[in-house]
């Protein structure tokens, strides 16, 4: 029997079966011992159901996780040499940022993660009602549009039904992931998309418009028009994991300029004939943009190097002949 994981919280995964019913599940022992990962939100899974039991009980086992089409993945905050998969099998990633408190550096990181999935990417600037003026709204929107290129950039406010309708049209009948830090208004946006309060929200403070994060589980919310969105707790850490393609997509302007550099391996530091640095000097590329690209590029390479070292260390530990041992496994006394 097949089903899709639609919720992950502190208990067992909640799986939606093909007939529309739901069942709580646990992972089979063999899957946990020998599998690469546990099921994540959006995963299609093969189940073993126990006959004669109510589906409301924890009576199903996840035997196999079907191959994933897309994955949203970051570096595991608890283990820097391991990946953490946050969601799977979606069609669209909506990167959310509060318009009045736009964090450009974080937006660039979130776009890298989003592009790396291979899914369609869009940006939604939330809480437009907290902007100082219409001029600020237009200025922020234009600056983000210039940065991201051809992908959609929408400006929304939870009390503006027309702006939320644009998000609904963007999602259509597809599965979308809402990506963003705590307090950007993801849950409020979902409530308006659904037409009722299905996600808990906390009112913002009158002084600064900030609120407290309320989403505590990753959950798939089904929308009236037939699509669905995956809401998840705000991602505090946006650690990159094998994000070369994502960086190239998020910084397509820098990559395009680099094609005109004199050297193919130009790092845009002090090399002669660097077209990227020339663009900075003539004002067509901002210095901050170039520095952000180099910082993320170097961080990603450092992560790849650390993983390679960790893998070599792991292989050496599992090898029967280790340093300080002879061919028969006996310890060799080092020379004085």
């Amino acid at each position: 029997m097949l089903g899709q994981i639609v919720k992950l919280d502190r208990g067992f995964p909640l799986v939606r079966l093909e007939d529309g019913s739901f069942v709580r599940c646990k992972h089979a022992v063999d899957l946990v011992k020998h599998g690469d990962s546990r099921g994540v939100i959006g995963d299609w899974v093969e189940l073993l159901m126990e006959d004669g039991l109510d589906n409301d009980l924890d009576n199903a086992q996840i035997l196999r996780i079907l191959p994933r089409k897309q994955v949203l993945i970051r570096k595991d905050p608890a283990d820097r040499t391991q990946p953490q998969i946050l969601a799977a099998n979606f069609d669209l990633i909506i990167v959310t940022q509060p318009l009045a408190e736009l964090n450009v550096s974080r937006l660039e990181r979130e776009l890298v993660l989003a592009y790396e999935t291979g899914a369609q990417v869009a940006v939604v600037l939330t809480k437009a009602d907290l902007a100082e003026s219409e001029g600020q709204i237009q200025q922020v929107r234009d600056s983000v549009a210039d940065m991201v290129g051809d992908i959609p950039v929408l400006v929304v406010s939870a009390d503006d039904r027309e702006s939320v309708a644009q998000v609904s049209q963007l999602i259509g009948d597809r599965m979308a992931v809402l990506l963003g830090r705590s307090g950007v208004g993801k849950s409020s946006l979902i409530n308006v998309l659904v037409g009722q309060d299905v996600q808990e929200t906390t009112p913002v403070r009158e002084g600064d418009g900030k609120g407290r994060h309320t989403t505590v589980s990753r959950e798939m919310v089904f929308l009236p028009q037939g699509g669905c969105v995956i809401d998840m707790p705000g991602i505090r850490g946006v650690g990159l994991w094998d994000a070369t393609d994502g960086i190239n997509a998020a910084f397509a302007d820098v990559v395009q300029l680099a094609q005109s550099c004199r050297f193919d391996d130009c790092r845009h530091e002090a090399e002669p004939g660097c077209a990227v640095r020339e663009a900075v000097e003539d004002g067509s590329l901002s210095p901050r943009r170039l520095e952000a690209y180099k910082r993320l590029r170097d961080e990603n390479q450092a992560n790849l190097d650390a993983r390679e070292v960790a893998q070599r260390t792991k292989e050496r530990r599992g090898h029967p002949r280790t340093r300080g041992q002879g061919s028969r496994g006996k310890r060799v006394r080092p020379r004085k």
Side-chain angles (χ1 to χ4, degrees):
M1 181 175 295
L2 296 180
Q4 187 174 35
I5 297 177
V6 297
K7 186 173 183 179
L8 287 175
D9 53 24
R10 296 180 180 87
F12 297 115
L14 182 66
V15 173
R16 185 175 188 261
L17 304 180
E18 293 179 298
D19 63 3
S21 61
F22 297 87
V23 62
R24 286 283 183 181
C25 300
K26 58 185 177 181
H27 291 82
V29 174
D30 286 344
L31 181 63
V32 175
K33 289 177 62 177
H34 305 294
D36 293 333
S37 67
R38 294 174 179 264
V40 301
I41 189 82
D43 266 335
W44 285 95
V45 294
E46 181 180 327
L47 304 177
L48 173 64
M49 299 287 293
E50 296 183 25
D51 296 332
L53 295 179
D54 193 314
N55 279 355
D56 289 336
L57 300 177
D58 298 331
N59 65 326
Q61 289 189 57
I62 297 176
L63 298 180
R64 185 168 70 96
I65 300 170
L66 274 60
R68 296 160 172 155
K69 294 188 301 180
Q70 289 88 18
V71 291
L72 175 60
I73 187 170
R74 68 169 176 176
K75 183 171 59 177
D76 191 333
D79 186 344
R80 296 183 178 183
T81 63
Q82 296 297 321
Q84 182 184 39
I85 299 177
L86 302 175
N89 301 321
F90 43 84
D91 307 292
L92 169 69
I93 290 190
I94 298 177
V95 179
T96 57
Q97 278 271 342
L99 184 142
E101 296 180 343
L102 180 68
N103 185 326
V104 176
S105 296
R106 183 179 175 95
L107 175 59
E108 289 168 335
R109 280 181 168 273
E110 291 170 337
L111 286 170
V112 169
L113 261 66
Y115 279 121
E116 191 66 33
T117 68
Q120 182 183 348
V121 180
V123 175
V124 169
L125 302 173
T126 61
K127 300 185 177 182
D129 53 307
L130 299 180
E132 296 177 356
S133 64
E134 287 294 328
Q136 183 188 21
I137 293 176
Q138 191 62 41
Q139 185 272 327
V140 173
R141 188 204 175 281
D142 289 347
S143 66
V144 172
D146 288 342
M147 184 177 74
V148 301
D150 296 332
I151 71 173
V153 178
L154 303 180
V155 176
V156 303
S157 175
D159 57 3
D160 181 356
R161 297 282 174 171
E162 183 177 349
S163 67
V164 177
Q166 294 177 355
V167 180
S168 179
Q169 293 171 7
L170 175 67
I171 297 173
D173 61 356
R174 299 180 295 176
M175 181 186 298
V177 174
L178 291 186
L179 177 64
R181 65 172 175 81
S182 301
V184 301
K186 300 189 300 295
S187 295
S188 296
L189 177 60
I190 288 177
N191 287 339
V192 181
L193 286 170
V194 175
Q196 57 181 315
D197 291 344
V198 294
Q199 298 293 83
E200 183 182 356
T201 60
T202 301
V204 298
R205 296 191 294 263
E206 294 183 1
D208 56 11
K210 295 182 180 180
R212 179 171 56 85
H213 172 65
T214 52
T215 302
V216 296
S217 63
R218 298 171 192 167
E219 181 174 5
M220 191 182 299
V221 180
F222 296 90
L223 305 179
Q225 74 266 22
C228 62
V229 293
I230 295 176
D231 189 18
M232 61 179 69
I235 298 178
R236 181 176 301 173
V238 194
L240 304 183
W241 178 264
D242 199 359
T244 302
D245 291 340
I247 292 173
N248 291 340
F251 292 87
D253 51 347
V254 179
V255 173
Q256 183 176 5
L257 286 168
Q259 293 176 0
S260 299
C261 289
R262 181 182 301 177
F263 303 106
D264 292 339
D265 59 350
C266 181
R267 294 185 58 79
H268 323 307
E269 300 288 353
E271 300 90 341
C274 176
V276 176
R277 286 201 339 274
E278 290 175 1
V280 172
E281 292 170 0
D282 66 26
S284 57
L285 180 69
S286 73
R288 196 214 66 80
R289 180 81 170 154
L290 174 57
E291 289 305 314
Y293 166 77
K294 293 195 295 185
R295 183 174 61 253
L296 294 175
R297 176 201 64 189
D298 294 346
E299 176 186 331
N300 185 61
Q301 187 59 52
N303 291 337
L304 295 175
D305 293 343
R307 286 166 50 193
E308 184 177 350
V309 170
Q311 180 61 32
R312 289 201 301 264
T313 301
K314 181 179 179 181
E315 291 173 355
R316 284 200 300 267
R317 288 174 177 173
H319 198 283
R321 291 182 61 183
T322 59
R323 184 178 181 182
Q325 290 185 344
S327 60
R328 296 183 181 180
K330 296 181 180 180
R331 187 165 187 83
V332 177
R333 185 183 300 276
R335 293 179 179 178
K336 294 182 180 181

